[in-house]
Amino acid sequence: MRKWLIAAFGVLILNIPVQTAAAEEEVPLEIEPVYPENQETGTKGYFSLAMDPGEEQTVNFRMTNNLDEEVTLSAEPANAYTHPKGGILYNPSVDSPNTRLLDDAVSMKEYLSLDETVTLEPGASEEVPVSVEAPDVEGQTALGAVVFTTEVSEQEADGSGGNEEANIVLNTETSYKLAVQVNLPNESTPDFSVGEAGFLTETGQVFIEMTNNAHLIQGDILGDYIVTDSEDEEVFSGELAEFNMAPKSNIRYQIPWNNESLDDGDYTLTLNGSAGDDNFSVEEDFTIAQDDIEEYAEVNTPEVNEPDGFSMPIWVWILAAALFGGLMLVLGKKLNRPQAKEE
């Protein structure tokens, strides 16, 4: 019996499929800037243009379709925001309490214009023009982007069991975001500040407000932090990875709760860091209420959907498991009992 099991296991192992790395696929769509004479020297991958306030200019993106089928993309201008976890993101609009543009920020999407759709024949390459207007502001940098998005396509994914009705239809799209930065002749003074701290019940993270109140990209923001409880005992600590902030933007920078327990109470976030050449050090108190913990648990606890009309009590599952375990124990003893030798 035991030899038969070993042989069967060996056959099973030999028939397990081995995955191999697929050959590199060609990029389906290539988009690259065609750099004009006023492109910032040494800057590649996006437009960084020296312009005067009110000046207008047309720049081009070269687009190449490497597929054997026609590709249609939607196109729209976008603003530059700061990501709540650091870095710059580009979207036509963002409706979130965790990232926003200040009231006097430049809405760069209003200064970029292009055709709403672009269609490329198989293997075709063409240049797509974008009109850029430099904002008339007393600032150093205006930042936005152009977003190209492939039209939603329906793809069938085979279901298990070979049942045609089990096939799944997937709607897929891909976005390409290319920055457009306008460098004005004015010079802005850095104006970075840190605000209040708090707790985000949606994600279970601590936040600290950060504001870049200047018409420039605030670079080189980094630091380290420690969260202590009301007894001044460390709860957790960590570092801010270096990041940039978009011009005239505000975020609630999110810090993961790096402790296995989450209790209600009063806490203090101490943050020491630097933004460019300026250092900063803050201590901000915040409170986590029991209601906050309950709301976080409610939002993040997955629901288990039972089939309609079917509900089995937990004691039935426990009893079934116990009976199955006992049965396997008896069978195991019988299989391992030595057989009598034949005379």
Side-chain angles (χ1 to χ4, degrees):
M1 176 69 176
R2 189 171 298 171
K3 290 182 178 178
W4 182 87
L5 286 173
I6 293 173
F9 181 72
V11 172
L12 179 63
I13 292 296
L14 290 173
N15 283 277
I16 294 177
V18 178
Q19 293 184 344
T20 58
E24 275 191 31
E25 295 183 0
E26 189 175 19
V27 178
L29 185 66
E30 295 179 52
I31 306 177
E32 58 182 358
V34 179
Y35 303 112
E37 292 182 359
N38 59 331
Q39 172 76 9
E40 182 181 12
T41 304
T43 299
K44 301 292 183 182
Y46 65 96
F47 286 116
S48 182
L49 310 172
M51 300 178 69
D52 292 323
E55 181 183 352
E56 296 184 12
Q57 178 179 352
T58 297
V59 295
N60 294 281
F61 288 104
R62 181 179 292 110
M63 307 180 69
T64 303
N65 178 13
N66 294 321
L67 297 176
D68 295 328
E69 58 187 29
E70 182 181 273
V71 173
T72 300
L73 302 96
S74 62
E76 59 182 330
N79 289 325
Y81 299 83
T82 302
H83 196 286
K85 293 186 178 179
I88 297 176
L89 63 87
Y90 301 98
N91 265 12
S93 63
V94 173
D95 183 13
S96 169
N98 298 320
T99 181
R100 65 183 181 89
L101 294 179
L102 303 182
D103 292 340
D104 59 343
V106 172
S107 178
M108 193 60 191
K109 69 177 183 179
E110 307 297 333
Y111 295 86
L112 302 172
S113 59
L114 71 164
D115 291 340
E116 293 182 355
T117 59
V118 178
T119 301
L120 294 173
E121 297 297 325
S125 179
E126 66 178 69
E127 293 188 0
V128 177
V130 179
S131 176
V132 181
E133 181 183 353
D136 190 2
V137 295
E138 290 295 326
Q140 180 174 326
T141 306
L143 185 63
V146 175
V147 180
F148 296 101
T149 305
T150 58
E151 287 191 341
V152 175
S153 61
E154 293 186 351
Q155 297 180 352
E156 280 195 351
D158 292 335
S160 59
N163 186 351
E164 293 183 0
E165 295 181 357
N167 287 352
I168 302 171
V169 176
L170 303 176
N171 292 326
T172 61
E173 66 176 27
T174 304
S175 291
Y176 303 82
K177 301 182 179 184
L178 297 103
V180 178
Q181 177 177 321
V182 173
N183 305 311
L184 300 167
N186 311 309
E187 186 172 340
S188 294
T189 302
D191 188 2
F192 173 83
S193 62
V194 180
E196 66 179 13
F199 180 75
L200 298 172
T201 56
E202 302 88 355
T203 59
Q205 295 179 318
V206 177
F207 74 82
I208 182 77
E209 284 194 355
M210 295 183 178
T211 302
N212 175 19
N213 191 27
H215 285 292
L216 56 74
I217 298 172
Q218 176 60 66
D220 305 326
I221 302 170
L222 51 86
D224 53 72
Y225 59 84
I226 179 172
V227 172
T228 53
D229 59 20
S230 57
E231 303 297 325
D232 203 29
E233 294 290 333
E234 179 180 333
V235 181
F236 61 89
S237 60
E239 296 181 351
L240 303 184
E242 185 176 334
F243 67 95
N244 298 339
M245 287 189 71
K248 287 286 182 175
S249 65
N250 169 274
I251 58 170
R252 298 200 294 188
Y253 185 90
Q254 299 178 9
I255 299 173
W257 186 270
N258 194 17
N259 190 298
E260 59 186 16
S261 63
L262 176 60
D263 302 316
D264 60 315
D266 297 325
Y267 297 90
T268 300
L269 170 62
T270 302
L271 175 61
N272 297 298
S274 60
D277 296 329
D278 299 323
N279 296 325
F280 62 86
S281 181
V282 296
E283 280 191 7
E284 290 292 329
D285 298 329
F286 66 97
T287 299
I288 301 178
Q290 183 61 35
D291 290 345
D292 295 330
I293 297 176
E294 291 174 359
E295 183 177 342
Y296 168 69
E298 182 179 349
V299 171
N300 291 276
T301 301
E303 294 184 3
V304 179
N305 296 321
E306 295 179 346
D308 294 337
F310 178 81
S311 178
M312 185 176 291
I314 188 64
W315 64 267
V316 175
W317 292 106
I318 296 174
L319 179 59
L323 290 174
F324 180 75
L327 178 62
M328 295 305 294
L329 181 62
V330 172
L331 289 175
K333 288 182 177 179
K334 287 185 176 182
L335 289 173
N336 289 314
R337 185 179 301 163
Q339 296 181 359
K341 295 182 178 180
E342 294 182 2
E343 294 182 358

